[in-house]
Amino acid sequence: MVADFQDTAPAAPDIEDTVRAVEATAVMGLLPGRPRLLALGEPTHGEDALLDLRNELFRQLVEQEGYVTVAIESDCLKGLAVDDHVTSGTGTLDEVVEHGISHGWGASAANRELVRWMRAHNDGRPASERLRFAGFDGPLEITGAASPRQALTALHGYLAARVDADLLPCTADTLDGLLGADERWSDPAAMRDPARSVGRSAEAGRLRLLAGELAALLDEQTPHLIGATPGEDWERACLYARTATGLLRYHYWTADPSPARLTRLAGVRDQMMAHNLLALAARGPVLVHAHNSHLQRGKSTMRMGGMPLEWWGAGALVSARLGAEYAFVATALGTIRHQGVDTPPPDSVEGMLYALPEDRCVVDARRLAAVLGDTPPPPRVSPWFGYAPLDPARLADSDGIVFVRDVPRR
């Protein structure tokens, strides 16, 4: 009897049972329903092959699942120009890609194609059915943070045109005098030397108080302002308020000389990202693309300046608020040979996926974790700082994995 049972029992699942073709239907098949915010991560930046795959998946998800916003890891204020272009044709494609996408990623052919496709998709559609674009990062670069001038003055201008002047905490001239030259805020030297930052100056302290008061006034006047202005103007005013207060917090911690400085900077950045994503999700279902570390549900970690950092990323913060309405699909890869990332070790998760015949596939992450058992395989170690391998112990924290076998030079 035992032999008969063994002969007829189903075979234990293996890794091949966890993979599907890279299609929107395969991604949605991993989820209980359409999440309000569906995030696709990437393990490295600047590879158009990965962005081409993103573009194709997002196109399918927009057309088949009705997503209404595409958000990428780019400056939220600069992204307004791209949104204007894709929704109404304002500006040329060259202009909005160059000036509306930050971090130097406007030069990417795949990002350009994303914007071109979104504009073509919207052509001839009524305003209520147009696909929206958003950057959800703060006005931040590796070399430094932007001046809060744009966000603060735009917020003040919006309120000054719509509420009684006596309610405003200051005049536009007061803000201008406190802000001073924008260059002193964006000084690249401040990222390495807190003493070079103006974030804890008397002027910055006063600006933090005024930004908080302007944001509070915007909130207090919500019934009047929503009724008196188009919804898009209201949304942008809220974005200006979030960005002004977030930037001033970021500058405050840039000036901090304590060991907590870099951790706090990473945390403030991701908090700004999370607030932007929650605001976008409030108006309809959103597709998001950024580095895996920003979108994962667990804590984010990295080494910077020789120090280990650990903080809650945007995905963790949004997931805590949205629950099942947030979904995260990580991207993993086998090789980036032009960056020195060669064939992964066969006992790593990437190595096991690399041994499959598919050039790319969608992987059921939780089922894969179950197949691998209670003792996860050793993590892959990247020889290149720009690529972050999967954490085998956190596979089940993802709803899925998109695996790309080889990333060619473009």
Side-chain angles (χ1 to χ4, degrees):
M1 294 295 294
V2 173
D4 290 342
F5 174 80
Q6 290 174 339
D7 288 342
T8 59
D14 60 24
I15 288 180
E16 290 189 12
D17 297 326
T18 72
V19 304
R20 304 289 185 273
V22 180
E23 297 174 344
T25 52
V27 173
M28 298 306 296
L30 301 175
L31 310 174
R34 185 188 71 178
R36 180 163 287 269
L37 205 157
L38 174 53
L40 174 66
E42 62 177 358
T44 186
H45 287 315
E47 296 295 339
D48 268 9
L50 299 182
L51 300 183
D52 287 339
L53 184 149
R54 171 205 65 186
N55 290 353
E56 177 58 22
L57 266 182
F58 279 12
R59 182 188 64 78
Q60 293 178 24
L61 287 163
V62 166
E63 295 175 350
Q64 298 172 23
E65 300 295 332
Y67 281 88
V68 298
T69 300
V70 171
I72 70 171
E73 185 184 335
S74 182
D75 185 327
C76 57
L77 298 185
K78 289 185 176 181
L80 296 175
V82 184
D83 187 47
D84 286 341
H85 176 76
V86 301
T87 55
S88 61
T90 303
T92 68
L93 177 61
D94 288 342
E95 290 169 346
V96 300
V97 168
E98 180 180 358
H99 301 294
I101 297 178
S102 62
H103 309 331
W105 297 334
S108 160
N111 281 333
R112 178 187 175 86
E113 174 56 23
L114 174 67
V115 176
R116 188 210 62 77
W117 170 76
M118 292 180 68
R119 176 64 196 136
H121 174 86
N122 286 336
D123 191 29
R125 294 177 186 267
S128 61
E129 297 179 9
R130 291 173 191 161
L131 183 60
R132 303 288 299 274
F133 176 92
F136 72 96
D137 200 354
L140 309 170
E141 298 285 354
I142 294 296
T143 55
S147 164
R149 177 183 301 279
Q150 180 183 357
L152 265 177
T153 56
L155 174 60
H156 186 278
Y158 173 87
L159 289 168
R162 294 166 177 85
V163 303
D164 189 274
D166 291 341
L167 297 177
L168 294 170
C170 65
T171 66
D173 286 343
T174 298
L175 287 180
D176 186 62
L178 292 169
L179 286 163
D182 289 344
E183 291 76 14
R184 68 189 193 123
W185 294 93
S186 56
D187 180 5
M191 288 306 295
R192 294 185 177 275
D193 182 2
R196 296 289 297 271
S197 172
V198 298
R200 296 196 177 184
S201 64
E203 295 88 350
R206 177 66 176 159
L207 285 168
R208 289 184 74 201
L209 176 62
L210 292 174
E213 288 301 313
L214 289 167
L217 181 59
L218 181 72
D219 189 44
E220 291 167 14
Q221 295 292 314
T222 296
H224 162 62
L225 294 170
I226 286 182
T229 59
E232 184 175 312
D233 291 349
W234 160 254
E235 289 178 0
R236 291 194 174 190
C238 292
L239 172 61
Y240 295 137
R242 293 193 303 272
T243 305
T245 54
L247 265 178
L248 285 163
R249 281 199 308 275
Y250 192 90
H251 282 291
Y252 176 85
W253 284 104
T254 302
D256 179 51
S258 80
R261 177 179 185 260
L262 294 178
T263 298
R264 291 295 291 128
L265 288 175
V268 170
R269 180 189 180 194
D270 271 87
Q271 185 183 44
M272 293 176 70
M273 288 182 167
H275 289 168
N276 286 334
L277 289 176
L278 290 168
L280 293 171
R283 74 184 186 197
V286 185
L287 296 170
V288 184
H289 187 258
H291 198 279
N292 288 333
S293 63
H294 291 303
L295 300 177
Q296 65 193 32
R297 288 189 175 92
K299 272 193 168 181
S300 300
T301 59
M302 68 179 298
R303 294 189 69 86
M304 183 177 289
M307 294 177 55
L309 310 181
E310 184 177 88
W311 72 98
W312 292 109
L317 295 171
V318 171
S319 180
R321 298 283 290 275
L322 295 185
E325 287 292 290
Y326 178 74
F328 167 55
V329 177
T331 296
L333 52 86
T335 72
I336 324 175
R337 298 191 193 280
H338 53 280
Q339 298 290 4
V341 181
D342 290 320
T343 305
D347 60 345
S348 66
V349 174
E350 289 91 345
M352 296 175 194
L353 294 173
Y354 193 83
L356 299 175
E358 292 84 0
D359 287 332
R360 59 186 198 175
C361 57
V362 170
V363 183
D364 184 332
R366 294 189 175 96
R367 193 173 183 190
L368 176 60
V371 168
L372 295 177
D374 295 333
T375 303
R380 183 184 189 183
V381 177
S382 173
W384 177 49
F385 74 94
Y387 160 61
L390 289 173
D391 182 347
R394 289 183 172 179
L395 289 180
D397 289 344
S398 303
D399 295 286
I401 299 167
V402 171
F403 182 74
V404 177
R405 199 168 189 272
D406 299 290
V407 178
R409 184 191 293 272
R410 291 284 295 274

